[in-house]
Amino acid sequence: MIKSINTEKYQNFLIWLKAGRLAKGLSVRELAIIIDEPFQFISKIETGQRKLNIHEYVQYCKALNLDHVEGLELFIMS
């Protein structure tokens, strides 16, 4: 089992999450406020320094109005 978050698949997934935030016109700090986390949490996720667990992923998607299934499909298919 590959546990690295430095794979191309995971990097593409992170690009998708960041694009979702930018499409909503939100800064890292603004998204952090919405999901009630420190801004460093968002920054570390988007730069690949921290993994998202499934619960955090769903909250992240809800905050950005992203389809969590689409994100998983992107991850699986890339």
Side-chain angles (χ1 to χ4, degrees), residues 50-67:
R50 185 189 187 289
K51 290 182 185 180
L52 272 174
N53 70 38
I54 192 70
H55 178 72
E56 294 165 339
Y57 170 67
V58 171
Q59 288 181 307
Y60 207 103
C61 287
K62 282 184 179 182
L64 295 174
N65 254 353
L66 295 174
D67 181 2

Side-chain angles (χ1 to χ4, degrees), residues 2-19 43-51 71 74-76 78:
I2 298 172
K3 294 186 179 185
S4 173
I5 59 176
N6 296 318
T7 64
E8 185 176 344
K9 278 184 172 191
Y10 198 75
Q11 293 303 312
N12 289 337
F13 173 72
L14 296 179
I15 289 168
W16 178 78
L17 286 175
K18 184 175 181 178
S43 181
K44 286 181 179 181
I45 288 167
E46 289 186 358
T47 58
Q49 297 175 34
R50 185 189 187 289
K51 290 182 185 180
L74 170 72
F75 182 75
I76 292 167
S78 65

